[in-house]
Amino acid sequence: MKRLRRRRNDGGNKKKKKNKDMFDDLPDCILLHILSFLDTKPAVQTCILSTRWKDLWKRVPTLTLSSSPDSYYV
């Protein structure tokens, strides 16, 4: 089975563009607002998404801590 090549419509630009997501352009205050809706564990886990996000979770104004023993093993 033949695979068809897709043509890129890059306006004649032959250079490869770096893949970016929409979060790269957001300021830290918006990212912090988004993280404030998460519980602590998922907020901290976001540090693996980007080097820019490495310490961002530490500046979240509200972190929800859970004291149930089950939450430690999840």
Side-chain angles (χ1 to χ4, degrees):
M1 182 174 203
K2 276 189 175 181
R3 290 188 181 180
L4 298 177
R5 279 184 141 177
R6 287 191 196 182
R7 288 187 175 196
R8 290 179 51 196
N9 186 7
D10 58 3
N13 187 1
K14 299 292 182 184
K15 294 180 182 179
K16 289 186 178 181
K17 295 182 180 180
K18 188 176 184 179
N19 289 335
K20 287 180 65 176
D21 59 29
M22 64 183 173
F23 293 107
D24 285 342
D25 296 329
L26 292 176
D28 286 352
C29 62
I30 301 295
L31 295 172
L32 289 169
H33 183 70
I34 293 169
L35 289 176
S36 69
F37 291 101
L38 297 175
D39 288 335
T40 303
K41 186 174 181 177
V44 172
Q45 288 173 336
T46 60
C47 69
I48 64 168
L49 297 177
S50 169
T51 54
R52 178 181 164 208
W53 289 38
K54 181 180 175 187
D55 296 320
L56 193 63
W57 68 271
K58 296 175 186 176
R59 295 175 31 210
V60 176
T62 55
L63 289 175
T64 306
L65 300 175
S66 177
S67 62
S68 68
D70 295 332
S71 66
Y72 299 119
Y73 302 108
V74 176

